[in-house]
Amino acid sequence: MNNNDLLDAKSTHCPCGSSRPYEQCCEPYHLGRAVAEIPERLMRSRYCAFVLRHFRYLIATHHPQYLHGLTEQQLAQGKTQWLGLEVMSSTQQSEYGEVTFKAWFIENKHIDAIYECSSFIKQDGHWFYTHGHQMQTRLPGRNDPCICHSGKKFKQCCAKRTG
């Protein structure tokens, strides 16, 4: 599967959850044409990079002191299908920021979420992801809005993918 299979940039909203096309949203960050100005923007562009499998960007925006040997090859091993992003909160104080989010995914017909409070630091004008504190979450209820932001109820959308 290539990136064109994952996203048609001319007809689809950016995977980060904005209402803008990818080419006007996260693509400039992924191509090095723009620098994330706030931690939430970096986190959204990193989520989008996971969706589109831009692993080089993920390594480049991960603070080197916190990589712990993580490589593009390790990131490429997963078969995760990302469903949607929900930002719960975002704070910034000078050179430090935190973003709490849920990144919903499906693997082996099982839906789950990375529910994390991510930490970021700013160095030399660039924000970097450092580490995250993982938390537990529950699946949406049958009649809750779907996690993929389709506008449908969960039971009529992504819940059908688990069967």
Side-chain angles (χ1 to χ4, degrees):
M1 180 181 302
N2 65 38
N3 292 342
N4 292 332
D5 294 333
L6 296 169
L7 175 72
D8 177 355
K10 303 231 183 291
S11 64
T12 310
H13 295 301
C14 188
C16 79
S18 76
S19 59
R20 298 180 308 180
Y22 170 69
E23 63 192 5
Q24 297 172 11
C25 191
C26 288
E27 184 180 50
Y29 302 111
H30 295 165
L31 296 177
R33 295 182 186 150
V35 175
E37 58 284 348
I38 59 174
E40 182 177 335
R41 173 76 338 247
L42 179 62
M43 188 280 306
R44 286 181 179 277
S45 70
R46 285 176 55 83
Y47 170 80
C48 184
F50 274 108
V51 172
L52 299 178
R53 302 179 63 80
H54 291 309
F55 302 124
R56 181 172 293 144
Y57 180 78
L58 292 168
I59 297 297
T61 57
H62 198 129
H63 194 281
Q65 291 178 346
Y66 293 86
L67 269 174
H68 306 294
L70 184 64
T71 66
E72 290 179 49
Q73 293 76 23
Q74 290 170 323
L75 290 170
Q77 290 176 359
K79 301 280 188 216
T80 304
Q81 183 179 4
W82 298 97
L83 301 174
L85 175 66
E86 181 182 356
V87 176
M88 318 303 285
S89 67
S90 180
T91 60
Q92 176 186 340
Q93 293 180 345
S94 187
E95 312 289 296
Y96 177 78
E98 287 187 342
V99 180
T100 301
F101 66 92
K102 292 179 185 178
W104 293 96
F105 64 91
I106 188 167
E107 265 182 347
N108 301 319
K109 296 188 176 190
H110 176 73
I111 294 176
D112 203 352
I114 296 172
Y115 183 20
E116 178 176 300
C117 179
S118 294
S119 295
F120 299 86
I121 58 173
K122 189 175 188 181
Q123 288 185 331
D124 301 322
H126 291 81
W127 285 100
F128 293 93
Y129 170 78
T130 58
H131 64 286
H133 170 72
Q134 301 288 315
M135 298 173 279
Q136 296 292 319
T137 191
R138 65 168 186 80
L139 281 178
R142 294 174 33 85
N143 292 317
D144 288 341
C146 193
I147 53 183
C148 73
H149 308 291
S150 66
K152 298 178 183 177
K153 292 181 180 182
F154 181 64
K155 69 181 177 186
Q156 296 173 335
C157 195
C158 286
K160 289 183 174 183
R161 301 167 83 172
T162 62

